[in-house]
Amino acid sequence: MKPIEFEPRERAFFGPVIGLDEAGRGCLAGPVSIGYTVFSPEFFHSSPPPDLALVRDSKRLSRNRREVLVEPIRKASLACGAVMASSRKIDSVGINPAIEDCMIQSVIRAMRIVKPAAVLVDGNYALKRLRNEFPDLAVHCIVGGDNLVFSIAAASILAKVLRDRRMERFDRYYPGYDFSQHAGYGTAIHRSKIHELGLSAVHRKSYRLKS
């Protein structure tokens, strides 16, 4: 795979930028995950180091390639991680509020380490609570940002890998659903397991299961 050329969005701000992206929105089981990354402004004045050359939208990478990128992202960033909302939280408040709560917590965690100038988010969200919580931060939502902006792409990888690891643990706690294979997404196999076994404690009860 060849490196892709990202837009220099981070360089438009006077200070570090938080990149945010989610994984697991449409899953039938497990948490939704928000990945966040912050790199130094100097990082964006040269090409990414070789061990980060394959960073891009996590959906365009194999599981093995995503896993290999996690440690280089951690080493190169000033702050990074993932915040997750459980299936119970999603059932209680809804998926969009759960995602925004995770975004707010991600920014809080990043701000313990750096003083960011902006937040760049993949997607098209209103994010009124996030904007009200941090009125001094510029918040920009970018459709397709996970393949346009390096910080968002790196965040997408963390969101996906760390959520997949959580689902692998759930596979041991709730055997029979093959969570380690489909990570809670609504595959044909997953749906057949639900019809066979019923819903587990980590399934999203508020989601309608289409036959």
Side-chain angles (χ1 to χ4, degrees):
M1 297 180 73
K2 295 182 179 179
I4 64 173
E5 188 171 342
F6 290 98
E7 296 179 359
R9 300 285 185 106
E10 293 92 346
R11 287 159 61 180
F13 304 96
F14 296 101
V17 171
I18 303 173
L20 298 178
D21 196 17
E22 56 88 6
R25 166 187 284 275
C27 289
L28 303 180
V32 67
S33 173
I34 297 296
Y36 66 93
T37 62
V38 186
F39 298 88
S40 70
E42 293 75 22
F43 180 88
F44 298 103
H45 290 280
S46 59
S47 299
D51 57 359
L52 291 175
L54 293 185
V55 167
R56 65 201 62 212
D57 174 6
S58 64
K59 295 185 291 296
R60 299 191 177 193
L61 295 166
S62 67
R63 176 177 291 196
N64 288 341
R65 280 181 166 155
R66 289 193 297 264
E67 283 281 356
V68 167
L69 286 165
V70 169
E71 194 57 29
I73 290 171
R74 284 176 169 162
K75 288 181 178 179
S77 63
L78 300 176
C80 70
V83 177
M84 301 188 201
S86 69
S87 55
R88 184 176 297 179
K89 174 74 175 283
I90 294 167
D91 288 339
S92 174
V93 303
I95 186 64
N96 285 330
I99 286 173
E100 190 165 13
D101 284 347
C102 289
M103 289 182 178
I104 291 170
Q105 289 304 312
S106 295
V107 174
I108 290 172
R109 290 188 187 186
M111 290 180 71
R112 292 171 184 164
I113 300 170
V114 298
K115 185 178 181 180
V119 181
L120 302 181
V121 184
D122 178 58
N124 185 21
Y125 298 98
L127 301 181
K128 292 181 180 179
R129 287 190 294 120
L130 177 67
R131 297 175 195 275
N132 290 337
E133 188 80 17
F134 309 103
D136 296 332
L137 281 181
V139 178
H140 296 271
C141 294
I142 303 165
V143 176
D146 49 7
N147 215 41
L148 297 173
V149 180
F150 185 91
S151 297
I152 296 176
S156 80
I157 292 169
L158 295 185
K160 175 65 174 164
V161 170
L162 298 181
R163 184 185 182 279
D164 282 353
R165 292 178 183 176
R166 178 77 58 89
M167 296 308 295
E168 288 172 2
R169 290 201 297 273
F170 285 158
D171 195 23
R172 296 194 294 271
Y173 299 145
Y174 305 99
Y177 293 96
D178 295 333
F179 287 143
S180 63
Q181 299 302 312
H182 52 67
Y185 287 88
T187 64
I189 291 175
H190 185 192
R191 291 173 186 276
S192 70
K193 294 292 185 180
I194 293 173
H195 286 299
E196 176 188 345
L197 302 172
L199 297 175
S200 74
V202 295
H203 277 94
R204 301 177 187 177
K205 312 301 190 297
S206 57
Y207 278 35
R208 289 187 177 181
L209 179 62
K210 297 179 181 178
S211 57

